[in-house]
Amino acid sequence: MNHSIYSADRTTHLKIVVVALVAGIAVAGLGISARLNADTGYTQTAKVMKAGKPVVVTSSETPLVR
């Protein structure tokens, strides 16, 4: 029984890495499946806008200093 990760042998380190990898894959899989199944209609669509005639915007207002 090793109570420290520093004094653990190679198989203990391998077990820790495998458990962490499986847990990470499980969390990622649950996140992806929850994301794909929760289609609530909030999808975004791109709309194409055609350019119209050129417009000139001018302003003759002078700034007022008070």
Side-chain angles (χ1 to χ4, degrees), residues 17-33:
V17 168
V18 168
V19 167
L21 184 63
V22 169
I25 291 171
V27 168
L30 285 172
I32 290 171
S33 67

Side-chain angles (χ1 to χ4, degrees), residues 14-65:
L14 184 63
K15 288 177 187 177
I16 292 171
V17 168
V18 168
V19 167
L21 184 63
V22 169
I25 291 171
V27 168
L30 285 172
I32 290 171
S33 67
R35 173 79 174 162
L36 293 178
N37 291 336
D39 188 17
T40 57
Y42 294 116
T43 57
Q44 294 180 354
T45 58
K47 296 187 178 187
V48 178
M49 295 177 56
K50 292 186 177 182
K53 295 182 180 179
V55 177
V56 177
V57 178
T58 60
S59 175
S60 63
E61 298 176 12
T62 57
L64 297 175
V65 179

